[in-house]
Amino acid sequence: MEEQKAIYGIIGNPLGHSLSPVMHNAAFQALDVDAEYKLFPLKEDQLDEFFKDLKKEDSPIFGLNVTVPYKEHVFQYMDRLSPLAEKIGAVNTIFISKNRELIGYNTDAPGFMAHLAELQFNTADKRIAILGAGGSTRAILTALCMIPERPRIIKIYNRTTSKVDELLSDLKVKINIDVVEPVISIDDLDIPGCDLLINTTSVGMSKEDPSLVEEDLLRPGMLVYDLIYNPPETPLLKFARNQGALTANGLGMLYYQGVMALQRWAETEIDESVKYQMRLALEEALGYE
Ligand code: ATR
């Protein structure tokens, strides 16, 4: 009898523009395994049934990613959580063992740090400014607070200031957030004095979007990191480039979190040649040169 194809996929809603299938199917092809990565655009009232089916012995699903709005919601279905997922309070990768045990991981945080390392940015004693206080900030901020190369200060601003307060009061019971300083205006971020500026907001995704930061606040020597990767250069990154700052978009973070998810599912390191195909697939899908 022919063996059933292994299924992997991503749950979230909406999922229309997810690049995870492109990246992971390129990996499966490079690994020459009979597996397929699918989109599972589930409504909230479909989650109970989906996770009930996932526990069945004959389920073909062996690994999942989770994206907005379910990264926190899926906690209740996990049999175990990695310590990091527990600290962040969000799961983006689910490993399913042979006996159908579900283990929740977070690869967003180490994915971001891996990209920073690739960019040769050492966080030790650096001044960091963060725009936004959504799900991505939660992962990134946790990573930046836990890394041994401790930043000097991390200032954080969000349009809705109460969200920063909620985020910090949640994180402070689990990790040391002494270096974090919430501010109530963009000016208070002291952008000209920072070494790393991170935009985690969605401002820049639409063509009409402005840059939240004025061009003359940016300068050479700083790294401006925009989590947005489509378009590849947001107005913020364009300003940063004009001013001679280093720039990076979020494609690297997407790639590294994907590699780390795949390594969880495969329970082994992935060859550089396979990783190369994953990154190439992402860049091709986005029409990067
Ligand atoms: P993600 O998981 O990608 O972080 P999210 O949790 O939806 O996404 O967070 C979106 C972030 O973009 C939030 O910080 C949001 O600010 P609010 O908390 O005030 O909503 C921010 N954001 C979205 N649109 C914005 C805008 N027009 N101006 C400023 N911030 C904006």
Side-chain angles (χ1 to χ4, degrees), residues 191 197 213-219 222 236 239-240 243:
I191 289 172
L197 169 66
V213 177
E214 283 169 35
E215 181 168 344
D216 59 7
L217 297 179
L218 307 170
R219 58 166 177 79
M222 65 168 56
L236 171 65
F239 282 173
Q243 294 297 317

Side-chain angles (χ1 to χ4, degrees), residues 201-271:
T201 76
S202 44
V203 181
M205 276 182 187
S206 301
K207 275 206 175 76
E208 315 76 49
D209 282 352
S211 164
L212 289 178
V213 177
E214 283 169 35
E215 181 168 344
D216 59 7
L217 297 179
L218 307 170
R219 58 166 177 79
M222 65 168 56
L223 170 63
V224 179
Y225 192 112
D226 200 325
L227 256 66
I228 296 169
Y229 49 80
N230 191 14
E233 188 177 70
T234 58
L236 171 65
L237 291 186
K238 186 161 183 241
F239 282 173
R241 185 167 53 82
N242 288 346
Q243 294 297 317
L246 295 168
T247 61
N249 72 24
L251 196 73
M253 179 177 171
L254 176 72
Y255 159 72
Y256 282 111
Q257 68 75 31
V259 168
M260 289 171 179
L262 187 61
Q263 290 181 158
R264 285 285 171 206
W265 300 329
E267 295 178 272
T268 180
E269 290 281 313
I270 300 296
D271 261 18

Side-chain angles (χ1 to χ4, degrees), residues 68 132-137 158-160 163 200-203 212:
V68 279
S136 321
T137 298
N158 191 49
R159 176 180 62 177
T160 314
K163 277 214 208 154
T200 75
T201 76
S202 44
V203 181
L212 289 178

Side-chain angles (χ1 to χ4, degrees), residues 175-193:
I175 58 168
N176 177 350
I177 59 161
D178 285 355
V179 294
V180 182
E181 185 187 314
V183 300
I184 54 166
S185 78
I186 289 201
D187 291 343
D188 292 339
L189 277 178
D190 185 21
I191 289 172

Side-chain angles (χ1 to χ4, degrees), residues 135-146:
S136 321
T137 298
R138 180 178 278 271
I140 286 172
L141 192 61
T142 306
L144 289 171
C145 286
M146 287 178 68

Side-chain angles (χ1 to χ4, degrees), residues 24-285:
H24 287 293
N25 284 322
F28 294 151
Q29 208 180 347
L31 288 163
D32 196 22
V33 294
D34 191 20
E36 188 182 348
Y37 189 101
K38 293 183 171 179
L39 297 176
F40 295 107
L42 302 174
K43 300 211 176 70
E44 195 170 332
D45 63 6
Q46 295 175 301
L47 289 176
D48 276 352
E49 179 104 27
F50 181 84
F51 277 94
K52 209 169 122 200
D53 286 348
L54 208 54
K55 298 292 280 180
K56 290 183 181 157
E57 218 174 282
D58 60 352
S59 168
I61 300 176
F62 287 98
L64 288 167
N65 285 128
V66 185
T67 189
V68 279
Y70 302 132
K71 287 185 186 188
E72 294 167 41
H73 194 91
V74 298
F75 261 50
Q76 59 187 299
Y77 302 112
M78 298 299 108
D79 296 301
R80 274 191 291 143
L81 288 169
S82 77
L84 183 62
E86 182 134 38
K87 285 195 175 72
I88 296 170
V91 162
N92 81 315
T93 298
I94 303 173
F95 171 81
I96 301 155
S97 72
K98 287 197 179 66
N99 56 1
R100 308 304 297 174
E101 202 185 15
L102 308 187
I103 307 165
Y105 291 94
N106 188 300
T107 67
D108 286 330
F112 175 74
M113 296 313 296
H115 192 203
L116 276 192
E118 179 193 296
L119 295 163
Q120 299 187 316
F121 186 90
N122 183 342
T123 52
D125 206 34
K126 295 295 194 318
R127 294 154 303 180
I128 300 175
I130 299 179
L131 282 165
S136 321
T137 298
R138 180 178 278 271
I140 286 172
L141 192 61
T142 306
L144 289 171
C145 286
M146 287 178 68
I147 191 165
E149 292 82 14
R150 209 158 167 70
R152 190 187 315 169
I153 190 157
I154 306 172
K155 293 193 181 188
I156 170 166
Y157 165 76
N158 191 49
R159 176 180 62 177
T160 314
T161 46
S162 60
K163 277 214 208 154
V164 177
D165 299 337
E166 278 166 35
L167 174 62
L168 298 186
S169 58
D170 194 20
L171 286 184
K172 78 174 175 212
V173 295
K174 296 183 268 189
I175 58 168
N176 177 350
I177 59 161
D178 285 355
V179 294
V180 182
E181 185 187 314
V183 300
I184 54 166
S185 78
I186 289 201
D187 291 343
D188 292 339
L189 277 178
D190 185 21
I191 289 172
C194 77
D195 304 295
L196 170 62
L197 169 66
I198 308 167
N199 175 48
T200 75
T201 76
S202 44
V203 181
M205 276 182 187
S206 301
K207 275 206 175 76
E208 315 76 49
D209 282 352
S211 164
L212 289 178
V213 177
E214 283 169 35
E215 181 168 344
D216 59 7
L217 297 179
L218 307 170
R219 58 166 177 79
M222 65 168 56
L223 170 63
V224 179
Y225 192 112
D226 200 325
L227 256 66
I228 296 169
Y229 49 80
N230 191 14
E233 188 177 70
T234 58
L236 171 65
L237 291 186
K238 186 161 183 241
F239 282 173
R241 185 167 53 82
N242 288 346
Q243 294 297 317
L246 295 168
T247 61
N249 72 24
L251 196 73
M253 179 177 171
L254 176 72
Y255 159 72
Y256 282 111
Q257 68 75 31
V259 168
M260 289 171 179
L262 187 61
Q263 290 181 158
R264 285 285 171 206
W265 300 329
E267 295 178 272
T268 180
E269 290 281 313
I270 300 296
D271 261 18
E272 289 302 320
S273 62
V274 175
K275 293 184 195 170
Y276 176 75
Q277 292 302 328
M278 293 170 81
R279 198 151 189 165
L280 199 63
L282 286 175
E283 289 175 358
E284 277 178 8

